[in-house]
Amino acid sequence: MLTDMIRQLAAGAYAAPEFLFGTVKTASPLSVAVDQRFTLPEEALLLPEHLETLTLRVEHRLAGEPSLDETFTLQPGLAAGDRVMLLAAGGVYLILDRVGTPGRVRAAIGGEDNAG
């Protein structure tokens, strides 16, 4: 679907793409409020893999040993309140990435935010 959108953009089938900013209202089902103008439902959104939740389930069972059955989150997905940048074209909205708070930088050590 993304490759089709890119081909149609290149062919001039859509108006010029537009960058928008929004806030995730709900994670499941996914919905994004765009600049308090409108809300996009999951059906109108394309989500790249790097923004999907990725979990790993580890299960270990051996006779005579303690068993292990845990799930680990390797990559968190989008959450309510996350700011996102979108590329809009032809009624389809591709979420490009999360957007940080302007003027804030995560310190390399200690994880504190520093205004900059």
Side-chain angles (χ1 to χ4, degrees):
M1 184 169 197
L2 176 59
T3 54
D4 293 335
M5 185 173 108
I6 292 170
R7 282 189 190 115
Q8 290 174 343
L9 280 170
Y14 292 139
E18 178 182 5
F19 288 100
L20 302 169
F21 292 92
T23 303
V24 175
K25 286 182 72 172
T26 59
S28 183
L30 182 60
S31 66
V32 176
V34 177
D35 299 328
Q36 299 178 352
R37 293 185 291 166
F38 54 92
T39 299
L40 298 168
E42 190 170 73
E43 299 79 38
L45 297 165
L46 291 175
L47 185 65
E49 282 186 22
H50 75 275
L51 293 175
E52 292 180 359
T53 301
L54 177 61
T55 58
L56 173 68
R57 182 169 179 227
V58 178
E59 188 175 342
H60 175 73
R61 298 190 195 317
L62 287 177
E65 292 187 20
S67 63
L68 172 68
D69 187 358
E70 289 191 47
T71 301
F72 300 93
T73 300
L74 303 176
Q75 173 178 295
L78 291 173
D82 283 350
R83 296 266 308 142
V84 293
M85 175 189 262
L86 303 106
L87 178 64
V92 177
Y93 298 83
L94 170 63
I95 299 176
L96 298 173
D97 212 341
R98 288 182 187 90
V99 178
T101 305
R104 308 289 280 178
V105 177
R106 171 93 38 206
I109 300 176
E112 298 174 10
D113 283 341
N114 296 324

